[in-house]
mmCIF file with all atom_site columns, all heavy atoms in Angstrom:
data_model
loop_
_atom_site.group_PDB
_atom_site.id
_atom_site.type_symbol
_atom_site.label_atom_id
_atom_site.label_alt_id
_atom_site.label_comp_id
_atom_site.label_asym_id
_atom_site.label_entity_id
_atom_site.label_seq_id
_atom_site.pdbx_PDB_ins_code
_atom_site.Cartn_x
_atom_site.Cartn_y
_atom_site.Cartn_z
_atom_site.occupancy
_atom_site.B_iso_or_equiv
_atom_site.pdbx_formal_charge
_atom_site.auth_seq_id
_atom_site.auth_comp_id
_atom_site.auth_asym_id
_atom_site.auth_atom_id
_atom_site.pdbx_PDB_model_num
ATOM 1   N N   . GLN E 1 1  ? 2.372  1.095   -4.863  1.00 0.00 ? 1  GLN E N   1
ATOM 2   C CA  . GLN E 1 1  ? 2.369  0.722   -3.437  1.00 0.00 ? 1  GLN E CA  1
ATOM 3   C C   . GLN E 1 1  ? 3.727  0.088   -3.003  1.00 0.00 ? 1  GLN E C   1
ATOM 4   O O   . GLN E 1 1  ? 4.354  -0.569  -3.761  1.00 0.00 ? 1  GLN E O   1
ATOM 5   C CB  . GLN E 1 1  ? 1.297  -0.292  -3.145  1.00 0.00 ? 1  GLN E CB  1
ATOM 6   C CG  . GLN E 1 1  ? -0.120 0.249   -3.086  1.00 0.00 ? 1  GLN E CG  1
ATOM 7   C CD  . GLN E 1 1  ? -1.129 -0.866  -3.083  1.00 0.00 ? 1  GLN E CD  1
ATOM 8   O OE1 . GLN E 1 1  ? -1.550 -1.536  -4.037  1.00 0.00 ? 1  GLN E OE1 1
ATOM 9   N NE2 . GLN E 1 1  ? -1.572 -1.207  -1.822  1.00 0.00 ? 1  GLN E NE2 1
ATOM 10  N N   . ILE E 1 2  ? 4.076  0.381   -1.833  1.00 0.00 ? 2  ILE E N   1
ATOM 11  C CA  . ILE E 1 2  ? 5.132  -0.378  -1.232  1.00 0.00 ? 2  ILE E CA  1
ATOM 12  C C   . ILE E 1 2  ? 4.464  -1.001  0.075   1.00 0.00 ? 2  ILE E C   1
ATOM 13  O O   . ILE E 1 2  ? 4.044  -0.325  0.899   1.00 0.00 ? 2  ILE E O   1
ATOM 14  C CB  . ILE E 1 2  ? 6.373  0.489   -0.735  1.00 0.00 ? 2  ILE E CB  1
ATOM 15  C CG1 . ILE E 1 2  ? 6.997  1.176   -2.066  1.00 0.00 ? 2  ILE E CG1 1
ATOM 16  C CG2 . ILE E 1 2  ? 7.391  -0.403  -0.066  1.00 0.00 ? 2  ILE E CG2 1
ATOM 17  C CD1 . ILE E 1 2  ? 8.056  2.122   -1.650  1.00 0.00 ? 2  ILE E CD1 1
ATOM 18  N N   . GLU E 1 3  ? 4.521  -2.380  0.085   1.00 0.00 ? 3  GLU E N   1
ATOM 19  C CA  . GLU E 1 3  ? 3.761  -3.080  1.113   1.00 0.00 ? 3  GLU E CA  1
ATOM 20  C C   . GLU E 1 3  ? 4.728  -3.924  1.949   1.00 0.00 ? 3  GLU E C   1
ATOM 21  O O   . GLU E 1 3  ? 5.652  -4.503  1.409   1.00 0.00 ? 3  GLU E O   1
ATOM 22  C CB  . GLU E 1 3  ? 2.783  -4.049  0.371   1.00 0.00 ? 3  GLU E CB  1
ATOM 23  C CG  . GLU E 1 3  ? 1.624  -4.452  1.219   1.00 0.00 ? 3  GLU E CG  1
ATOM 24  C CD  . GLU E 1 3  ? 0.394  -3.510  1.226   1.00 0.00 ? 3  GLU E CD  1
ATOM 25  O OE1 . GLU E 1 3  ? 0.532  -2.504  0.592   1.00 0.00 ? 3  GLU E OE1 1
ATOM 26  O OE2 . GLU E 1 3  ? -0.583 -3.877  1.859   1.00 0.00 ? 3  GLU E OE2 1
ATOM 27  N N   . GLU E 1 4  ? 4.483  -3.885  3.227   1.00 0.00 ? 4  GLU E N   1
ATOM 28  C CA  . GLU E 1 4  ? 5.334  -4.712  4.158   1.00 0.00 ? 4  GLU E CA  1
ATOM 29  C C   . GLU E 1 4  ? 4.587  -6.012  4.510   1.00 0.00 ? 4  GLU E C   1
ATOM 30  O O   . GLU E 1 4  ? 3.416  -5.927  4.814   1.00 0.00 ? 4  GLU E O   1
ATOM 31  C CB  . GLU E 1 4  ? 5.678  -3.908  5.377   1.00 0.00 ? 4  GLU E CB  1
ATOM 32  C CG  . GLU E 1 4  ? 6.454  -4.807  6.453   1.00 0.00 ? 4  GLU E CG  1
ATOM 33  C CD  . GLU E 1 4  ? 6.698  -4.072  7.714   1.00 0.00 ? 4  GLU E CD  1
ATOM 34  O OE1 . GLU E 1 4  ? 5.962  -3.077  8.017   1.00 0.00 ? 4  GLU E OE1 1
ATOM 35  O OE2 . GLU E 1 4  ? 7.488  -4.542  8.569   1.00 0.00 ? 4  GLU E OE2 1
ATOM 36  N N   . VAL E 1 5  ? 5.284  -7.026  4.413   1.00 0.00 ? 5  VAL E N   1
ATOM 37  C CA  . VAL E 1 5  ? 4.649  -8.354  4.938   1.00 0.00 ? 5  VAL E CA  1
ATOM 38  C C   . VAL E 1 5  ? 4.909  -8.471  6.425   1.00 0.00 ? 5  VAL E C   1
ATOM 39  O O   . VAL E 1 5  ? 6.028  -8.526  6.797   1.00 0.00 ? 5  VAL E O   1
ATOM 40  C CB  . VAL E 1 5  ? 5.232  -9.609  4.196   1.00 0.00 ? 5  VAL E CB  1
ATOM 41  C CG1 . VAL E 1 5  ? 4.618  -10.913 4.722   1.00 0.00 ? 5  VAL E CG1 1
ATOM 42  C CG2 . VAL E 1 5  ? 5.062  -9.480  2.704   1.00 0.00 ? 5  VAL E CG2 1
ATOM 43  N N   . THR E 1 6  ? 3.801  -8.411  7.189   1.00 0.00 ? 6  THR E N   1
ATOM 44  C CA  . THR E 1 6  ? 4.005  -8.298  8.661   1.00 0.00 ? 6  THR E CA  1
ATOM 45  C C   . THR E 1 6  ? 3.893  -9.562  9.432   1.00 0.00 ? 6  THR E C   1
ATOM 46  O O   . THR E 1 6  ? 4.214  -9.663  10.577  1.00 0.00 ? 6  THR E O   1
ATOM 47  C CB  . THR E 1 6  ? 2.969  -7.282  9.197   1.00 0.00 ? 6  THR E CB  1
ATOM 48  O OG1 . THR E 1 6  ? 1.668  -7.722  8.777   1.00 0.00 ? 6  THR E OG1 1
ATOM 49  C CG2 . THR E 1 6  ? 3.180  -5.944  8.659   1.00 0.00 ? 6  THR E CG2 1
ATOM 50  N N   . GLY E 1 7  ? 3.343  -10.652 8.753   1.00 0.00 ? 7  GLY E N   1
ATOM 51  C CA  . GLY E 1 7  ? 3.343  -11.915 9.427   1.00 0.00 ? 7  GLY E CA  1
ATOM 52  C C   . GLY E 1 7  ? 2.151  -12.711 8.929   1.00 0.00 ? 7  GLY E C   1
ATOM 53  O O   . GLY E 1 7  ? 1.547  -12.443 7.962   1.00 0.00 ? 7  GLY E O   1
ATOM 54  N N   . TYR E 1 8  ? 1.837  -13.705 9.714   1.00 0.00 ? 8  TYR E N   1
ATOM 55  C CA  . TYR E 1 8  ? 0.729  -14.675 9.474   1.00 0.00 ? 8  TYR E CA  1
ATOM 56  C C   . TYR E 1 8  ? -0.213 -14.791 10.603  1.00 0.00 ? 8  TYR E C   1
ATOM 57  O O   . TYR E 1 8  ? 0.231  -15.019 11.732  1.00 0.00 ? 8  TYR E O   1
ATOM 58  C CB  . TYR E 1 8  ? 1.194  -16.089 9.036   1.00 0.00 ? 8  TYR E CB  1
ATOM 59  C CG  . TYR E 1 8  ? 0.185  -17.089 8.924   1.00 0.00 ? 8  TYR E CG  1
ATOM 60  C CD1 . TYR E 1 8  ? -0.547 -17.274 7.814   1.00 0.00 ? 8  TYR E CD1 1
ATOM 61  C CD2 . TYR E 1 8  ? -0.087 -17.981 10.005  1.00 0.00 ? 8  TYR E CD2 1
ATOM 62  C CE1 . TYR E 1 8  ? -1.572 -18.198 7.695   1.00 0.00 ? 8  TYR E CE1 1
ATOM 63  C CE2 . TYR E 1 8  ? -1.071 -18.905 9.954   1.00 0.00 ? 8  TYR E CE2 1
ATOM 64  C CZ  . TYR E 1 8  ? -1.801 -19.046 8.768   1.00 0.00 ? 8  TYR E CZ  1
ATOM 65  O OH  . TYR E 1 8  ? -2.829 -20.034 8.687   1.00 0.00 ? 8  TYR E OH  1
ATOM 66  N N   . SER E 1 9  ? -1.554 -14.583 10.347  1.00 0.00 ? 9  SER E N   1
ATOM 67  C CA  . SER E 1 9  ? -2.451 -14.845 11.471  1.00 0.00 ? 9  SER E CA  1
ATOM 68  C C   . SER E 1 9  ? -3.852 -14.922 10.799  1.00 0.00 ? 9  SER E C   1
ATOM 69  O O   . SER E 1 9  ? -4.131 -14.381 9.671   1.00 0.00 ? 9  SER E O   1
ATOM 70  C CB  . SER E 1 9  ? -2.506 -13.645 12.461  1.00 0.00 ? 9  SER E CB  1
ATOM 71  O OG  . SER E 1 9  ? -2.944 -12.466 11.736  1.00 0.00 ? 9  SER E OG  1
ATOM 72  N N   . GLY E 1 10 ? -4.713 -15.664 11.442  1.00 0.00 ? 10 GLY E N   1
ATOM 73  C CA  . GLY E 1 10 ? -6.070 -15.809 10.987  1.00 0.00 ? 10 GLY E CA  1
ATOM 74  C C   . GLY E 1 10 ? -6.266 -16.504 9.637   1.00 0.00 ? 10 GLY E C   1
ATOM 75  O O   . GLY E 1 10 ? -7.197 -16.221 8.900   1.00 0.00 ? 10 GLY E O   1
ATOM 76  N N   . GLY E 1 11 ? -5.278 -17.262 9.242   1.00 0.00 ? 11 GLY E N   1
ATOM 77  C CA  . GLY E 1 11 ? -5.354 -17.995 7.938   1.00 0.00 ? 11 GLY E CA  1
ATOM 78  C C   . GLY E 1 11 ? -4.874 -17.187 6.842   1.00 0.00 ? 11 GLY E C   1
ATOM 79  O O   . GLY E 1 11 ? -5.104 -17.645 5.655   1.00 0.00 ? 11 GLY E O   1
ATOM 80  N N   . VAL E 1 12 ? -4.350 -15.993 6.982   1.00 0.00 ? 12 VAL E N   1
ATOM 81  C CA  . VAL E 1 12 ? -3.857 -15.269 5.844   1.00 0.00 ? 12 VAL E CA  1
ATOM 82  C C   . VAL E 1 12 ? -2.488 -14.602 6.103   1.00 0.00 ? 12 VAL E C   1
ATOM 83  O O   . VAL E 1 12 ? -2.108 -14.380 7.354   1.00 0.00 ? 12 VAL E O   1
ATOM 84  C CB  . VAL E 1 12 ? -4.882 -14.081 5.457   1.00 0.00 ? 12 VAL E CB  1
ATOM 85  C CG1 . VAL E 1 12 ? -6.150 -14.620 4.972   1.00 0.00 ? 12 VAL E CG1 1
ATOM 86  C CG2 . VAL E 1 12 ? -5.040 -13.194 6.667   1.00 0.00 ? 12 VAL E CG2 1
ATOM 87  N N   . VAL E 1 13 ? -1.761 -14.316 5.010   1.00 0.00 ? 13 VAL E N   1
ATOM 88  C CA  . VAL E 1 13 ? -0.511 -13.618 5.157   1.00 0.00 ? 13 VAL E CA  1
ATOM 89  C C   . VAL E 1 13 ? -0.847 -12.100 5.332   1.00 0.00 ? 13 VAL E C   1
ATOM 90  O O   . VAL E 1 13 ? -1.586 -11.540 4.443   1.00 0.00 ? 13 VAL E O   1
ATOM 91  C CB  . VAL E 1 13 ? 0.339  -13.772 3.955   1.00 0.00 ? 13 VAL E CB  1
ATOM 92  C CG1 . VAL E 1 13 ? 1.679  -12.914 4.039   1.00 0.00 ? 13 VAL E CG1 1
ATOM 93  C CG2 . VAL E 1 13 ? 0.655  -15.283 3.774   1.00 0.00 ? 13 VAL E CG2 1
ATOM 94  N N   . ARG E 1 14 ? -0.453 -11.498 6.404   1.00 0.00 ? 14 ARG E N   1
ATOM 95  C CA  . ARG E 1 14 ? -0.760 -10.082 6.661   1.00 0.00 ? 14 ARG E CA  1
ATOM 96  C C   . ARG E 1 14 ? 0.212  -9.114  6.084   1.00 0.00 ? 14 ARG E C   1
ATOM 97  O O   . ARG E 1 14 ? 1.415  -9.361  6.143   1.00 0.00 ? 14 ARG E O   1
ATOM 98  C CB  . ARG E 1 14 ? -0.855 -9.887  8.193   1.00 0.00 ? 14 ARG E CB  1
ATOM 99  C CG  . ARG E 1 14 ? -1.827 -10.777 8.934   1.00 0.00 ? 14 ARG E CG  1
ATOM 100 C CD  . ARG E 1 14 ? -3.338 -10.310 8.629   1.00 0.00 ? 14 ARG E CD  1
ATOM 101 N NE  . ARG E 1 14 ? -4.255 -11.238 9.314   1.00 0.00 ? 14 ARG E NE  1
ATOM 102 C CZ  . ARG E 1 14 ? -5.568 -11.088 9.174   1.00 0.00 ? 14 ARG E CZ  1
ATOM 103 N NH1 . ARG E 1 14 ? -6.050 -10.041 8.391   1.00 0.00 ? 14 ARG E NH1 1
ATOM 104 N NH2 . ARG E 1 14 ? -6.369 -11.889 9.746   1.00 0.00 ? 14 ARG E NH2 1
ATOM 105 N N   . THR E 1 15 ? -0.320 -8.066  5.540   1.00 0.00 ? 15 THR E N   1
ATOM 106 C CA  . THR E 1 15 ? 0.548  -7.009  4.976   1.00 0.00 ? 15 THR E CA  1
ATOM 107 C C   . THR E 1 15 ? 0.070  -5.636  5.479   1.00 0.00 ? 15 THR E C   1
ATOM 108 O O   . THR E 1 15 ? -1.147 -5.447  5.903   1.00 0.00 ? 15 THR E O   1
ATOM 109 C CB  . THR E 1 15 ? 0.509  -7.060  3.423   1.00 0.00 ? 15 THR E CB  1
ATOM 110 O OG1 . THR E 1 15 ? -0.763 -6.676  2.980   1.00 0.00 ? 15 THR E OG1 1
ATOM 111 C CG2 . THR E 1 15 ? 0.969  -8.343  2.930   1.00 0.00 ? 15 THR E CG2 1
ATOM 112 N N   . GLU E 1 16 ? 0.957  -4.638  5.398   1.00 0.00 ? 16 GLU E N   1
ATOM 113 C CA  . GLU E 1 16 ? 0.521  -3.307  5.733   1.00 0.00 ? 16 GLU E CA  1
ATOM 114 C C   . GLU E 1 16 ? 1.115  -2.310  4.735   1.00 0.00 ? 16 GLU E C   1
ATOM 115 O O   . GLU E 1 16 ? 2.339  -2.434  4.365   1.00 0.00 ? 16 GLU E O   1
ATOM 116 C CB  . GLU E 1 16 ? 0.974  -2.922  7.082   1.00 0.00 ? 16 GLU E CB  1
ATOM 117 C CG  . GLU E 1 16 ? 0.443  -1.520  7.488   1.00 0.00 ? 16 GLU E CG  1
ATOM 118 C CD  . GLU E 1 16 ? 0.691  -1.282  9.064   1.00 0.00 ? 16 GLU E CD  1
ATOM 119 O OE1 . GLU E 1 16 ? 1.792  -1.091  9.368   1.00 0.00 ? 16 GLU E OE1 1
ATOM 120 O OE2 . GLU E 1 16 ? -0.331 -1.327  9.758   1.00 0.00 ? 16 GLU E OE2 1
ATOM 121 N N   . THR E 1 17 ? 0.392  -1.372  4.177   1.00 0.00 ? 17 THR E N   1
ATOM 122 C CA  . THR E 1 17 ? 0.845  -0.429  3.201   1.00 0.00 ? 17 THR E CA  1
ATOM 123 C C   . THR E 1 17 ? 1.765  0.619   3.881   1.00 0.00 ? 17 THR E C   1
ATOM 124 O O   . THR E 1 17 ? 1.448  1.254   4.823   1.00 0.00 ? 17 THR E O   1
ATOM 125 C CB  . THR E 1 17 ? -0.303 0.341   2.531   1.00 0.00 ? 17 THR E CB  1
ATOM 126 O OG1 . THR E 1 17 ? -1.208 -0.707  1.898   1.00 0.00 ? 17 THR E OG1 1
ATOM 127 C CG2 . THR E 1 17 ? 0.212  1.224   1.440   1.00 0.00 ? 17 THR E CG2 1
ATOM 128 N N   . LEU E 1 18 ? 2.979  0.778   3.300   1.00 0.00 ? 18 LEU E N   1
ATOM 129 C CA  . LEU E 1 18 ? 3.935  1.728   3.770   1.00 0.00 ? 18 LEU E CA  1
ATOM 130 C C   . LEU E 1 18 ? 3.897  3.008   2.947   1.00 0.00 ? 18 LEU E C   1
ATOM 131 O O   . LEU E 1 18 ? 3.942  4.120   3.404   1.00 0.00 ? 18 LEU E O   1
ATOM 132 C CB  . LEU E 1 18 ? 5.352  1.182   3.783   1.00 0.00 ? 18 LEU E CB  1
ATOM 133 C CG  . LEU E 1 18 ? 5.589  -0.095  4.574   1.00 0.00 ? 18 LEU E CG  1
ATOM 134 C CD1 . LEU E 1 18 ? 7.000  -0.570  4.416   1.00 0.00 ? 18 LEU E CD1 1
ATOM 135 C CD2 . LEU E 1 18 ? 5.145  0.079   6.059   1.00 0.00 ? 18 LEU E CD2 1
ATOM 136 N N   . TYR E 1 19 ? 3.802  2.856   1.611   1.00 0.00 ? 19 TYR E N   1
ATOM 137 C CA  . TYR E 1 19 ? 3.702  4.011   0.646   1.00 0.00 ? 19 TYR E CA  1
ATOM 138 C C   . TYR E 1 19 ? 2.602  3.646   -0.353  1.00 0.00 ? 19 TYR E C   1
ATOM 139 O O   . TYR E 1 19 ? 2.376  2.539   -0.701  1.00 0.00 ? 19 TYR E O   1
ATOM 140 C CB  . TYR E 1 19 ? 5.004  4.227   -0.074  1.00 0.00 ? 19 TYR E CB  1
ATOM 141 C CG  . TYR E 1 19 ? 6.134  4.851   0.706   1.00 0.00 ? 19 TYR E CG  1
ATOM 142 C CD1 . TYR E 1 19 ? 6.920  4.020   1.609   1.00 0.00 ? 19 TYR E CD1 1
ATOM 143 C CD2 . TYR E 1 19 ? 6.405  6.241   0.555   1.00 0.00 ? 19 TYR E CD2 1
ATOM 144 C CE1 . TYR E 1 19 ? 7.911  4.728   2.266   1.00 0.00 ? 19 TYR E CE1 1
ATOM 145 C CE2 . TYR E 1 19 ? 7.440  6.787   1.269   1.00 0.00 ? 19 TYR E CE2 1
ATOM 146 C CZ  . TYR E 1 19 ? 8.178  6.062   2.133   1.00 0.00 ? 19 TYR E CZ  1
ATOM 147 O OH  . TYR E 1 19 ? 9.185  6.591   2.896   1.00 0.00 ? 19 TYR E OH  1
ATOM 148 N N   . GLU E 1 20 ? 1.886  4.676   -0.770  1.00 0.00 ? 20 GLU E N   1
ATOM 149 C CA  . GLU E 1 20 ? 0.705  4.575   -1.668  1.00 0.00 ? 20 GLU E CA  1
ATOM 150 C C   . GLU E 1 20 ? 0.706  5.745   -2.594  1.00 0.00 ? 20 GLU E C   1
ATOM 151 O O   . GLU E 1 20 ? 0.739  6.881   -2.179  1.00 0.00 ? 20 GLU E O   1
ATOM 152 C CB  . GLU E 1 20 ? -0.536 4.409   -0.912  1.00 0.00 ? 20 GLU E CB  1
ATOM 153 C CG  . GLU E 1 20 ? -1.761 4.056   -1.672  1.00 0.00 ? 20 GLU E CG  1
ATOM 154 C CD  . GLU E 1 20 ? -3.005 3.801   -0.790  1.00 0.00 ? 20 GLU E CD  1
ATOM 155 O OE1 . GLU E 1 20 ? -3.352 4.796   -0.080  1.00 0.00 ? 20 GLU E OE1 1
ATOM 156 O OE2 . GLU E 1 20 ? -3.549 2.784   -0.852  1.00 0.00 ? 20 GLU E OE2 1
ATOM 157 N N   . PHE E 1 21 ? 0.479  5.412   -3.919  1.00 0.00 ? 21 PHE E N   1
ATOM 158 C CA  . PHE E 1 21 ? 0.317  6.537   -4.833  1.00 0.00 ? 21 PHE E CA  1
ATOM 159 C C   . PHE E 1 21 ? -1.053 7.086   -4.774  1.00 0.00 ? 21 PHE E C   1
ATOM 160 O O   . PHE E 1 21 ? -2.116 6.422   -4.859  1.00 0.00 ? 21 PHE E O   1
ATOM 161 C CB  . PHE E 1 21 ? 0.611  5.951   -6.309  1.00 0.00 ? 21 PHE E CB  1
ATOM 162 C CG  . PHE E 1 21 ? 0.422  7.067   -7.345  1.00 0.00 ? 21 PHE E CG  1
ATOM 163 C CD1 . PHE E 1 21 ? 1.481  7.975   -7.557  1.00 0.00 ? 21 PHE E CD1 1
ATOM 164 C CD2 . PHE E 1 21 ? -0.761 7.218   -8.049  1.00 0.00 ? 21 PHE E CD2 1
ATOM 165 C CE1 . PHE E 1 21 ? 1.331  8.910   -8.489  1.00 0.00 ? 21 PHE E CE1 1
ATOM 166 C CE2 . PHE E 1 21 ? -0.880 8.242   -9.054  1.00 0.00 ? 21 PHE E CE2 1
ATOM 167 C CZ  . PHE E 1 21 ? 0.156  9.107   -9.213  1.00 0.00 ? 21 PHE E CZ  1
ATOM 168 N N   . ARG E 1 22 ? -1.153 8.378   -4.616  1.00 0.00 ? 22 ARG E N   1
ATOM 169 C CA  . ARG E 1 22 ? -2.386 9.099   -4.541  1.00 0.00 ? 22 ARG E CA  1
ATOM 170 C C   . ARG E 1 22 ? -2.492 10.057  -5.640  1.00 0.00 ? 22 ARG E C   1
ATOM 171 O O   . ARG E 1 22 ? -1.768 10.951  -5.806  1.00 0.00 ? 22 ARG E O   1
ATOM 172 C CB  . ARG E 1 22 ? -2.609 9.756   -3.135  1.00 0.00 ? 22 ARG E CB  1
ATOM 173 C CG  . ARG E 1 22 ? -2.652 8.791   -2.008  1.00 0.00 ? 22 ARG E CG  1
ATOM 174 C CD  . ARG E 1 22 ? -2.787 9.358   -0.732  1.00 0.00 ? 22 ARG E CD  1
ATOM 175 N NE  . ARG E 1 22 ? -2.881 8.289   0.324   1.00 0.00 ? 22 ARG E NE  1
ATOM 176 C CZ  . ARG E 1 22 ? -3.004 8.549   1.652   1.00 0.00 ? 22 ARG E CZ  1
ATOM 177 N NH1 . ARG E 1 22 ? -2.853 9.830   2.076   1.00 0.00 ? 22 ARG E NH1 1
ATOM 178 N NH2 . ARG E 1 22 ? -3.072 7.558   2.511   1.00 0.00 ? 22 ARG E NH2 1
ATOM 179 N N   . GLU E 1 23 ? -3.579 9.945   -6.431  1.00 0.00 ? 23 GLU E N   1
ATOM 180 C CA  . GLU E 1 23 ? -3.851 10.766  -7.617  1.00 0.00 ? 23 GLU E CA  1
ATOM 181 C C   . GLU E 1 23 ? -4.365 12.102  -7.227  1.00 0.00 ? 23 GLU E C   1
ATOM 182 O O   . GLU E 1 23 ? -5.206 12.206  -6.319  1.00 0.00 ? 23 GLU E O   1
ATOM 183 C CB  . GLU E 1 23 ? -4.838 10.043  -8.546  1.00 0.00 ? 23 GLU E CB  1
ATOM 184 C CG  . GLU E 1 23 ? -4.870 10.616  -9.912  1.00 0.00 ? 23 GLU E CG  1
ATOM 185 C CD  . GLU E 1 23 ? -5.720 9.767   -10.861 1.00 0.00 ? 23 GLU E CD  1
ATOM 186 O OE1 . GLU E 1 23 ? -5.601 8.515   -10.808 1.00 0.00 ? 23 GLU E OE1 1
ATOM 187 O OE2 . GLU E 1 23 ? -6.495 10.313  -11.617 1.00 0.00 ? 23 GLU E OE2 1
ATOM 188 N N   . GLU E 1 24 ? -3.952 13.152  -7.861  1.00 0.00 ? 24 GLU E N   1
ATOM 189 C CA  . GLU E 1 24 ? -4.333 14.556  -7.485  1.00 0.00 ? 24 GLU E CA  1
ATOM 190 C C   . GLU E 1 24 ? -4.847 15.301  -8.639  1.00 0.00 ? 24 GLU E C   1
ATOM 191 O O   . GLU E 1 24 ? -4.963 16.527  -8.683  1.00 0.00 ? 24 GLU E O   1
ATOM 192 C CB  . GLU E 1 24 ? -3.077 15.279  -6.929  1.00 0.00 ? 24 GLU E CB  1
ATOM 193 C CG  . GLU E 1 24 ? -2.467 14.652  -5.723  1.00 0.00 ? 24 GLU E CG  1
ATOM 194 C CD  . GLU E 1 24 ? -1.132 15.180  -5.328  1.00 0.00 ? 24 GLU E CD  1
ATOM 195 O OE1 . GLU E 1 24 ? -0.531 15.993  -6.191  1.00 0.00 ? 24 GLU E OE1 1
ATOM 196 O OE2 . GLU E 1 24 ? -0.595 14.817  -4.356  1.00 0.00 ? 24 GLU E OE2 1
ATOM 197 N N   . GLY E 1 25 ? -5.287 14.558  -9.731  1.00 0.00 ? 25 GLY E N   1
ATOM 198 C CA  . GLY E 1 25 ? -5.905 15.253  -10.902 1.00 0.00 ? 25 GLY E CA  1
ATOM 199 C C   . GLY E 1 25 ? -5.117 15.084  -12.081 1.00 0.00 ? 25 GLY E C   1
ATOM 200 O O   . GLY E 1 25 ? -4.130 14.304  -12.164 1.00 0.00 ? 25 GLY E O   1
ATOM 201 N N   . LYS E 1 26 ? -5.363 15.906  -13.114 1.00 0.00 ? 26 LYS E N   1
ATOM 202 C CA  . LYS E 1 26 ? -4.649 15.840  -14.427 1.00 0.00 ? 26 LYS E CA  1
ATOM 203 C C   . LYS E 1 26 ? -4.164 17.182  -14.829 1.00 0.00 ? 26 LYS E C   1
ATOM 204 O O   . LYS E 1 26 ? -4.737 18.213  -14.546 1.00 0.00 ? 26 LYS E O   1
ATOM 205 C CB  . LYS E 1 26 ? -5.533 15.240  -15.546 1.00 0.00 ? 26 LYS E CB  1
ATOM 206 C CG  . LYS E 1 26 ? -5.925 13.796  -15.358 1.00 0.00 ? 26 LYS E CG  1
ATOM 207 C CD  . LYS E 1 26 ? -6.686 13.276  -16.464 1.00 0.00 ? 26 LYS E CD  1
ATOM 208 C CE  . LYS E 1 26 ? -5.856 12.980  -17.704 1.00 0.00 ? 26 LYS E CE  1
ATOM 209 N NZ  . LYS E 1 26 ? -6.555 12.376  -18.830 1.00 0.00 ? 26 LYS E NZ  1
ATOM 210 N N   . GLN E 1 27 ? -3.092 17.288  -15.594 1.00 0.00 ? 27 GLN E N   1
ATOM 211 C CA  . GLN E 1 27 ? -2.524 18.511  -16.076 1.00 0.00 ? 27 GLN E CA  1
ATOM 212 C C   . GLN E 1 27 ? -1.850 18.174  -17.423 1.00 0.00 ? 27 GLN E C   1
ATOM 213 O O   . GLN E 1 27 ? -1.017 17.381  -17.544 1.00 0.00 ? 27 GLN E O   1
ATOM 214 C CB  . GLN E 1 27 ? -1.529 19.129  -15.102 1.00 0.00 ? 27 GLN E CB  1
ATOM 215 C CG  . GLN E 1 27 ? -0.978 20.462  -15.608 1.00 0.00 ? 27 GLN E CG  1
ATOM 216 C CD  . GLN E 1 27 ? -0.041 21.072  -14.498 1.00 0.00 ? 27 GLN E CD  1
ATOM 217 O OE1 . GLN E 1 27 ? -0.001 20.711  -13.434 1.00 0.00 ? 27 GLN E OE1 1
ATOM 218 N NE2 . GLN E 1 27 ? 0.810  21.977  -15.067 1.00 0.00 ? 27 GLN E NE2 1
ATOM 219 N N   . ASP E 1 28 ? -2.362 18.937  -18.473 1.00 0.00 ? 28 ASP E N   1
ATOM 220 C CA  . ASP E 1 28 ? -1.760 18.657  -19.826 1.00 0.00 ? 28 ASP E CA  1
ATOM 221 C C   . ASP E 1 28 ? -1.857 17.220  -20.282 1.00 0.00 ? 28 ASP E C   1
ATOM 222 O O   . ASP E 1 28 ? -0.900 16.716  -20.804 1.00 0.00 ? 28 ASP E O   1
ATOM 223 C CB  . ASP E 1 28 ? -0.339 19.233  -19.956 1.00 0.00 ? 28 ASP E CB  1
ATOM 224 C CG  . ASP E 1 28 ? -0.187 20.668  -19.541 1.00 0.00 ? 28 ASP E CG  1
ATOM 225 O OD1 . ASP E 1 28 ? -1.203 21.410  -19.957 1.00 0.00 ? 28 ASP E OD1 1
ATOM 226 O OD2 . ASP E 1 28 ? 0.775  21.145  -18.993 1.00 0.00 ? 28 ASP E OD2 1
#
């Protein structure tokens, strides 16, 4: 994951995912 820290609100540090690894199965 590559996560951006977007700020603080509602008592938590907010983040948003910019990139995420997505599995597509297995080979060999």
Side-chain angles (χ1 to χ4, degrees):
Q1 285 174 275
I2 301 178
E3 201 88 356
E4 179 186 12
V5 179
T6 56
Y8 170 82
S9 66
V12 295
V13 178
R14 300 290 178 180
T15 66
E16 184 169 76
T17 303
L18 304 180
Y19 286 80
E20 184 176 61
F21 180 80
R22 293 182 178 173
E23 194 173 318
E24 299 167 355
K26 293 184 73 173
Q27 182 179 342
D28 300 326

